Amino acid sequence: MKEFKRKKGTRYRESLYIEGKRIVSPTFRKKSDAKVWKREKLSERDKFKAMGMNYIPEIKVKEFAKNFLFNKSTLAERTLESYGGILKKYIIPNYGERALGSIRLQDAENLKLELSQTGELSITRINNILNLFKIFMNEAVKTDNLLKTPFSNLKFIPSQEKELLYWLQPEAIRFLRANQSCHYYSLYFITLSLGLRKGEALGLRWCSVDFSKGLISINSNMTRHCLLYTSPS
């Protein structure tokens, strides 16, 4: 075991040889944690051997990231782009040089705290990043690069209920009266009268209007990327 003297205190690091290759641990504040790491690595090695599998603890996070994206290549293009963006921006810069086997639950907790403290990301975005990290480690287990994931007990940030903001009928009437001469008055009127969502309002088409019966079918929804067709309502 190696001992490192630093300004913030002493750190400890263990190492061992597996199949002729030297495996080095991350640094720990306590000797006992470094010893636990070594015990776990030897135990994992023995379990892999008992199952007739090769133990590959030296593969780095950044190396496995390439395999991970390749294995997920059948996903939708935008999903794959999202995965790649999260890995490139949040996972690899922090853990890319780390061995997969050295990643612990505390690493995910530290990432959660760090992202929360910046104040730049929504809770949903942070949870998406954590979820991908969890999927990433699960994939390492599925591909026999890890015996078990360290993120089984990872807790996501509880989402906060948004306060519902809405207009009362007098407010809606005042808005419509103030915009009677507006080019979009008809759209405003239909949206408020039917209680349409933004995507439903923007997805309205003339073919959805039955003038003879006085009916409008809400069967399309405009998203940021395209017009989606839904069941009529």
Side-chain angles (χ1 to χ4, degrees):
M1 181 185 297
K2 285 190 175 182
E3 184 176 310
F4 301 87
K5 299 289 185 180
R6 296 180 177 173
K7 291 182 179 180
K8 295 184 179 180
T10 305
R11 299 291 186 272
Y12 302 93
R13 172 175 285 167
E14 269 285 13
S15 65
L16 68 155
Y17 285 87
I18 297 179
E19 298 180 359
K21 295 183 179 181
R22 184 169 180 258
I23 311 301
V24 180
S25 77
T27 56
F28 297 96
R29 294 175 182 272
K30 299 178 181 179
K31 280 186 179 181
S32 58
D33 290 338
K35 290 179 179 178
V36 168
W37 175 89
K38 186 171 185 177
R39 262 198 322 271
E40 288 179 349
K41 289 296 154 207
L42 292 173
S43 176
E44 287 180 7
R45 179 201 61 185
D46 294 340
K47 288 178 181 177
F48 268 82
K49 284 186 175 180
M51 291 185 288
M53 296 186 296
N54 292 326
Y55 182 54
I56 320 174
E58 71 275 9
I59 185 170
K60 292 183 178 180
V61 169
K62 67 178 183 181
E63 294 169 353
F64 182 70
K66 299 176 184 177
N67 299 335
F68 173 79
L69 292 175
F70 178 79
N71 293 340
K72 299 296 182 182
S73 58
T74 56
L75 294 174
E77 184 178 350
R78 292 197 64 82
T79 301
L80 196 60
E81 287 178 0
S82 175
Y83 280 12
I86 291 175
L87 288 172
K88 184 177 181 180
K89 189 171 183 178
Y90 301 105
I91 308 302
I92 294 177
N94 289 302
Y95 310 103
E97 295 298 328
R98 295 268 300 276
L100 275 174
S102 73
I103 301 298
R104 294 290 181 269
L105 176 60
Q106 189 58 48
D107 292 309
E109 294 293 345
N110 291 341
L111 180 62
K112 178 166 59 176
L113 179 62
E114 179 184 332
L115 295 176
S116 300
Q117 289 178 338
T118 64
E120 298 175 356
L121 302 176
S122 67
I123 290 176
T124 300
R125 179 61 172 168
I126 294 173
N127 283 338
N128 287 341
I129 294 169
L130 294 173
N131 187 52
L132 178 62
F133 205 178
K134 189 172 185 177
I135 293 172
F136 182 84
M137 298 305 287
N138 286 339
E139 185 70 18
V141 175
K142 291 179 183 177
T143 54
D144 296 333
N145 285 290
L146 280 180
L147 189 61
K148 63 179 181 178
T149 174
F151 295 163
S152 299
N153 297 319
L154 177 61
K155 304 295 183 184
F156 297 108
I157 303 174
S159 57
Q160 298 175 346
E161 293 186 6
K162 293 183 179 179
E163 181 183 359
L164 294 177
L165 301 177
Y166 53 87
W167 285 347
L168 298 176
Q169 185 177 19
E171 294 173 312
I173 292 174
R174 284 201 300 271
F175 173 82
L176 291 173
R177 285 175 177 171
N179 289 277
Q180 280 183 323
S181 60
C182 178
H183 176 72
Y184 296 107
Y185 176 80
S186 297
L187 179 63
Y188 296 153
F189 180 82
I190 292 174
T191 300
L192 290 170
S193 299
L194 301 181
L196 300 181
R197 299 181 178 88
K198 181 172 66 174
E200 293 172 336
L202 295 176
L204 287 174
R205 295 168 299 149
W206 285 114
C207 62
S208 300
V209 181
D210 188 333
F211 290 100
S212 61
K213 295 181 179 179
L215 296 176
I216 298 177
S217 296
I218 310 304
N219 54 13
S220 55
N221 183 44
M222 179 63 74
T223 69
R224 289 184 299 172
H225 312 296
C226 63
L227 183 65
L228 298 178
Y229 297 101
T230 58
S231 300
S233 60

